[in-house]
Amino acid sequence: AGTLGSAAAAKGRYFGAAVSAQYLGEAGYVSTLDREFGSVTPENEMKWDAVEATRGTFAFGPADRIVAHAQGRGMSVRGHTLVWHSQLPDWVAGLGASDLRSAMNHHITQVMQHYKGKVLAWDVVNEAFQDGGSGARRSSPFQDKLGNGFIEEAFRTARAADPAAKLCYNDYNTDGVNAKSNAVYAMVKDFKARGVPIDCVGFQSHFNSASPVPADYRANLQRFADLGVDVQITELDIEGSGSAQATAYGNVVGACLAVSRCTGITVWGVTDKYSWRSAGTPLLFDGSYTKKPAYDAVLAALGGT
Ligand code: G3I
């Protein structure tokens, strides 16, 4: 039988998983990861609070473990995430505007240069827009102190730090056409028009009964691709079970395959037992690393056997 990674590769895509360094000593976790996935995203180890808990002091150990594991097995790496309002050390939020600007640019530069040549795509900025119908920017120290321009500045700094890395904007609840995705669309369109460096848009794609896979998911991915960026499904998980969950997963894979610039899919974890979601068994392997119907649906949708 094929594997998720090999089936995706046959379609010119990667199929990856979010990985936690704390589980790299668990046999079932590692064997499933190594057999099935061709890309990894550190789930928490590259976040600001993990790598620069105190200003100017960088701790890359746990993330290095994940990157080394991936490199040793020919897996690509997604870097997650450089500028985000959450998991931000208190010292960052306390800075004045000019200090914050230099701290942001220093953080981006130091982290990206540490992983230069090892990270295929970075979530440069994560979740900068509000939920709900306004399409407004989310309040954060960056937005509130640096204004709308902080996103452009972060991308320009990132391009200078590692010109070979793909630079992505990443968000959630942007999977269908709505006020939030329209605001992201307008930003990306403006960036492309002005030559602001951006290479991809990440769609986290966290789905559940309250927010199912939208009917216009494929159309939304396509309209972003038509702006001249890659689209990536970056944190896929779908609460549920059985055939309904399997069908939903198959639809997501089908949408990505139908959009030529959809370069890959990452599920947000290897096994249900370590999912960030407290309930809902949202992933492709159960707590015993047994393949679920959703796994079979994904492999079939990828054209695997
Ligand atoms: O590492 C500490 C540990 O030292 C401490 O003992 C423990 C108890 O306080 O907390 C541990 O940190 C936790 C961390 O995960 C690592 O396990 C944090 O409390 C916890 O908040 C954190 O949750 C992560 C969450 O992002 C917040 O950063 C989830 O694992 C992770 O799946 C989730 O992922 C996010 C994406 O980054 C962005 N998109 C949404 C997605 C889901 O929220």
Side-chain angles (χ1 to χ4, degrees), residues 22 43-44 47 80 84 87 126-127 204 206 235 268 276:
Q22 61 188 312
E43 188 171 3
N44 292 290
K47 291 171 180 174
H80 176 81
W84 188 31
Q87 304 307 106
N126 191 43
E127 303 177 10
Q204 292 183 15
H206 293 294
E235 306 182 14
W268 203 243
W276 70 286

Side-chain angles (χ1 to χ4, degrees), residues 72-218:
R73 291 157 182 80
M75 300 172 178
S76 61
V77 179
R78 293 195 83 259
H80 176 81
T81 175
L82 295 167
V83 181
W84 188 31
H85 66 279
S86 182
Q87 304 307 106
L88 202 58
D90 293 340
W91 69 264
V92 179
L95 298 177
S98 61
D99 234 354
L100 179 62
R101 167 172 282 112
S102 60
M104 180 185 79
N105 290 327
H106 184 65
H107 183 78
I108 292 168
T109 303
Q110 293 303 310
V111 177
M112 289 186 73
Q113 288 186 342
H114 181 80
Y115 292 110
K116 196 177 178 72
K118 299 178 178 177
V119 170
L120 182 65
W122 275 102
D123 291 333
V124 176
V125 174
N126 191 43
E127 303 177 10
F129 288 87
Q130 280 181 23
D131 280 317
S134 72
R137 289 289 187 86
R138 173 195 300 271
S139 170
S140 72
F142 308 103
Q143 181 65 41
D144 301 345
K145 291 176 183 169
L146 305 182
N148 283 343
F150 89 90
I151 299 180
E152 173 173 346
E153 180 155 10
F155 275 86
R156 291 188 183 280
T157 300
R159 179 67 93 220
D162 183 358
K166 288 198 178 289
L167 308 180
C168 308
Y169 174 80
N170 195 53
D171 217 327
Y172 69 92
N173 287 349
T174 52
D175 308 294
V177 177
N178 58 45
K180 190 176 184 182
S181 64
N182 287 342
V184 177
Y185 182 87
M187 178 185 74
V188 176
K189 186 177 175 129
D190 168 58
F191 279 12
K192 297 304 285 185
R194 293 190 296 112
V196 178
I198 183 168
D199 307 302
C200 84
V201 176
F203 298 84
Q204 292 183 15
S205 298
H206 293 294
F207 297 121
N208 56 26
S209 53
S211 54
V213 181
D216 55 7
Y217 188 57
R218 170 185 169 177

Side-chain angles (χ1 to χ4, degrees), residues 19-87:
V19 170
S20 284
Q22 61 188 312
Y23 308 127
L24 287 178
E26 182 182 328
Y29 186 89
V30 173
S31 63
T32 304
L33 170 66
D34 293 355
R35 184 185 72 241
E36 296 289 341
F37 298 100
S39 169
V40 302
T41 304
E43 188 171 3
N44 292 290
E45 292 79 355
M46 288 184 175
K47 291 171 180 174
W48 199 315
D49 66 342
V51 295
E52 192 185 3
T54 54
R55 188 171 191 179
T57 304
F58 291 88
F60 294 117
D64 285 350
R65 271 190 70 197
I66 296 171
V67 171
H69 186 94
Q71 288 210 298
R73 291 157 182 80
M75 300 172 178
S76 61
V77 179
R78 293 195 83 259
H80 176 81
T81 175
L82 295 167
V83 181
W84 188 31
H85 66 279
S86 182
Q87 304 307 106

